[in-house]
Amino acid sequence: MTEPTQTAPTQIWPADLAARYRAAGYWRGETFPAMLRARAADHPDRVAITSGEDQLTYGALNARARALGAGLLALGLVPGDRVLIQMGNAPCFFHAVFAAFAAGLVPVYALPAHRRTEVTHLARKAQARAVLVQGRIDRFDHAAMMMGLRADLPALAHVIVAGAAPEGALDMDAIAGDPASLPPDPDPQAVAFCQISGGSTGLPKLIPRSHDDYFYSIRASNDICGITERSVYLAALPVAHNFTMSSPGHFGALYAGGRVVLCAAPMPQIAFPLIAREGVTITGLVPPLALLWLDAAQKARPDLPTLNTLQVGGAKFLPESARRVAPLLGCRLQQVFGMAEGLVNYTRDDDPDEIVTGTQGRPISPDDEVLILDDAGAPVPDGQPGNLLTRGPYTIRAYHDDDSANARSFTEDGFYRTGDIVIRLPSGHLVVQGRANDQINRNGEKISAEEVEDLLLGHPGVFDAVVVSIPDARLGERACAFIQPRGDAPTPTEIRKYLRSREVAAFKIPDEIRMVDGFATTAVGKISRRQLRETLRADVLSELDPST
Ligand code: AMP
Ligand code: DBH
């Protein structure tokens, strides 16, 4: 079977807005390969990345990226080709990503938690010609998984492995070519890479980000977060996550000529000594991890004199917890509310404490247009909850190759419907209230209720399934699946085993599984799944708290 012909990812703003963003100095024509080259020329011997005992200088990173990039082209890849990258918090991620940039290849980032189902989907959607994968991450054999899915991906020419390569795969460390064969720097308006969306329907969507738009977000984030060449950023969350990458993240630190410290696991026992040893100045966490750090700090007051800022984002951080950060960790809290599609909000250093603990910040840019609308599309006044829509110099106008998602997610005049319900304060700060659609934010990992329902329906013993989010003290939200069985009811253990056999990311396996006789219908027929989810959720909530 041949794959359908698809065009390369693009991201196009209307000419008048593009001109305005350029005139305002947001889009400056910076590109990723040029950025690393310039830093390496300015300070070749400065350490860019620390990983355990390994120190990678700017000069060495740039040299290896260029040799590897040239080697990738020598394999027959051509600039513009997409390469899927699945790597953990290890130096190979930076080698692979900057090699792709040097060669004009377009990385598509998969998360370490992604398994066959997600990886196949992303590679197919992107028509990836190569995957670059870390052999093992946390004991899972990613190289073997990639070899196993080659047959499903006719466009995929090469599996390239950092670490021990199985037969039929290429050893990334052995690939090198002549940097003289590298292409000229890309058009700054071209797509630099594809991020992926958590999404509320189906599998992850591809988010094409241009050099120009992403560099604006990084540069402005650096300004807001005070990142300089003296900054040391601890990458505790996965490096492929948009938060860790750009808010201001590791790319922000590298842009400023600072240093990135890679954290193998974000547990306080590992992170605290690392922060002390490496003089980390800033790091970012999702709320459940922040809670772990706070509890650990309460028990054994760590001495972290260099840590200025703890950023918390990806899911709602409650004010009660937010107030504990400064006293327990001795640093400033910064709330970050962002999305891989673009818009990022930060609380600022000079915001009053109650804004820092009680809001999710305000947008980066004066040109981030923010609308708060009711369900009928009418603006709601400040202080009232409504749907957040946005448009601006670093927010995408379309997903890659997904007409129905684009029709749902963007208005005719190019506003992105975030799916978030927020309140705007007169100061412009946003307070996130929840989601309008059926997405579960578990530990900062976004799960589409619809995708899990669809997977459950594949089990022969499942007649119908509805998945809802339930508030959870540890995870923020957890997933609860209601299953109407067909014939003999499968046990929750069987259901979990079945989902694992479908090779999906483990975080998508529901935390709770309940069997029900059937689902409510109305007199006029079946009620919408959305209504059904709301009703079931309300039932669980009233069980948890009988007073509501
Ligand atoms: P994604 O589309 O996977 O990049 O996830 C972005 C989504 O994560 C946002 O639309 C929000 O729903 C959620 N999110 C990110 N940061 C925060 C935050 N600080 N508070 C509440 N929700 C957040
Ligand atoms: O959750 C996110 O996607 C996110 C959170 C904080 C993000 O993309 C970001 C900052 O840039």
Side-chain angles (χ1 to χ4, degrees):
M1 199 185 88
T2 52
E3 295 274 287
T5 315
Q6 287 164 352
T7 48
T10 54
Q11 192 59 250
I12 296 165
W13 277 260
D16 56 332
L17 282 178
R20 173 150 131 220
Y21 298 154
R22 241 173 247 120
Y26 305 144
W27 294 357
R28 295 189 186 168
E30 291 176 291
T31 68
F32 279 92
M35 187 276 278
L36 182 60
R37 253 192 351 261
R39 299 299 172 274
D42 285 351
H43 39 74
D45 299 328
R46 193 184 290 171
V47 174
I49 291 160
T50 300
S51 174
E53 299 307 314
D54 295 340
Q55 308 279 11
L56 184 60
T57 63
Y58 279 90
L61 174 59
N62 183 51
R64 178 62 192 136
R66 288 170 61 78
L68 176 56
L72 294 175
L73 296 179
L75 291 174
L77 299 173
V78 293
D81 277 351
R82 274 75 67 201
V83 293
L84 188 83
I85 297 182
Q86 189 182 39
M87 291 180 176
N89 291 15
C92 58
F93 174 84
F94 295 88
H95 286 139
V97 166
F98 280 103
F101 292 151
L105 303 168
V106 177
V108 175
Y109 305 120
L111 292 171
H114 285 150
R115 293 293 178 264
R116 187 188 181 103
T117 302
E118 293 90 5
V119 169
T120 308
H121 166 79
L122 292 170
R124 185 173 287 148
K125 206 64 189 163
Q127 291 201 305
R129 296 222 35 236
V131 299
L132 292 114
V133 64
Q134 195 175 337
R136 281 175 183 273
I137 311 173
D138 292 337
R139 292 200 298 279
F140 182 80
D141 192 342
H142 289 264
M145 173 180 75
M146 293 297 182
M147 293 308 285
L149 49 77
R150 276 183 108 160
D152 299 334
L153 299 169
L156 188 66
H158 306 285
V159 173
I160 299 165
V161 178
E167 209 182 313
L170 299 170
D171 173 1
M172 188 170 101
D173 291 340
I175 299 174
D178 178 2
S181 67
L182 292 172
D185 287 339
D187 178 348
Q189 293 172 64
V191 170
F193 51 75
C194 290
Q195 264 294 359
I196 55 167
S197 79
S200 54
T201 53
L203 283 157
K205 296 181 280 289
L206 296 183
I207 300 174
R209 300 288 304 255
S210 70
H211 295 268
D212 259 342
D213 96 69
Y214 214 69
F215 269 108
Y216 173 46
S217 149
I218 290 170
R219 217 175 39 238
S221 295
N222 274 359
D223 283 347
I224 291 167
C225 303
I227 302 297
T228 69
E229 77 276 5
R230 286 179 304 283
S231 299
V232 181
Y233 177 81
L234 180 76
L237 296 173
V239 285
H241 193 285
N242 196 59
F243 181 13
T244 327
M245 190 172 277
S246 64
S247 298
H250 53 75
F251 280 162
L254 295 178
Y255 182 85
R259 186 157 64 95
V260 178
V261 174
L262 301 177
C263 193
M267 301 311 153
Q269 314 82 282
I270 293 174
F272 288 171
L274 198 56
I275 292 171
R277 187 181 92 172
E278 300 294 345
V280 168
T281 59
I282 177 168
T283 189
L285 297 177
V286 290
L289 277 172
L291 293 180
L292 273 185
W293 284 34
L294 290 173
D295 282 1
Q298 197 151 18
K299 289 198 193 91
R301 298 284 167 139
D303 187 22
L304 307 172
T306 57
L307 189 67
N308 302 323
T309 309
L310 176 70
Q311 303 181 295
V312 180
K316 170 95 173 210
F317 197 40
L318 295 171
E320 197 64 36
S321 311
R323 279 191 283 272
R324 297 170 65 208
V325 170
L328 286 174
L329 291 166
C331 66
R332 183 93 171 138
L333 167 69
Q334 180 178 53
Q335 297 216 38
V336 190
F337 163 40
M339 50 208 75
E341 287 82 355
L343 181 72
V344 182
N345 303 274
Y346 293 101
T347 57
R348 308 300 206 265
D349 227 16
D350 55 359
D351 279 338
D353 286 349
E354 57 281 11
I355 290 287
V356 173
T357 55
T359 80
Q360 279 63 58
R362 61 183 172 84
I364 287 180
S365 176
D367 275 291
D368 281 322
E369 298 173 69
V370 162
L371 302 175
I372 319 280
L373 305 179
D374 66 18
D375 287 342
V380 303
D382 285 348
Q384 304 280 323
N387 299 291
L388 170 65
L389 287 79
T390 187
R391 187 168 80 164
Y394 60 99
T395 296
I396 58 159
R397 312 281 298 202
Y399 293 108
H400 174 59
D401 184 36
D402 198 333
D403 291 343
S404 71
N406 286 334
R408 268 195 319 275
S409 302
F410 296 89
T411 66
E412 264 172 26
D413 42 9
F415 280 85
Y416 168 55
R417 297 181 207 274
T418 65
D420 293 313
I421 309 282
V422 307
I423 287 174
R424 182 172 44 194
L425 305 181
S427 60
H429 291 86
L430 304 177
V431 182
V432 179
Q433 302 288 296
R435 296 280 305 172
N437 51 27
D438 305 300
Q439 188 185 67
I440 299 137
N441 191 331
R442 182 187 191 275
N443 215 353
E445 313 255 30
K446 319 303 181 325
I447 307 169
S448 146
E450 193 181 295
E451 182 193 346
V452 180
E453 289 165 359
D454 202 44
L455 284 165
L456 289 167
L457 287 174
H459 188 289
V462 174
F463 175 75
D464 201 357
V466 178
V467 176
V468 303
S469 69
I470 308 290
D472 184 281
R474 194 171 56 87
L475 300 166
E477 289 178 1
R478 65 176 189 270
C480 177
F482 292 85
I483 291 176
Q484 179 183 359
R486 176 188 282 124
D488 286 341
T491 63
T493 310
E494 281 162 1
I495 294 288
R496 291 203 170 87
K497 198 166 152 220
Y498 168 76
L499 290 177
R500 273 194 294 275
S501 77
R502 296 289 306 269
E503 298 183 63
V504 295
F507 64 76
K508 292 181 184 169
I509 296 177
D511 301 282
E512 213 179 307
I513 296 175
R514 299 183 180 206
M515 296 296 159
V516 293
D517 293 336
F519 293 114
T521 52
T522 61
V524 276
K526 250 181 129 51
I527 62 175
S528 78
R529 297 194 81 74
R530 178 125 168 237
Q531 269 177 297
L532 198 52
R533 291 190 191 108
E534 271 169 30
T535 314
L536 290 167
R537 188 162 187 271
D539 289 350
V540 179
L541 292 182
S542 63
E543 246 173 59
L544 296 176
D545 179 4
S547 65
T548 56

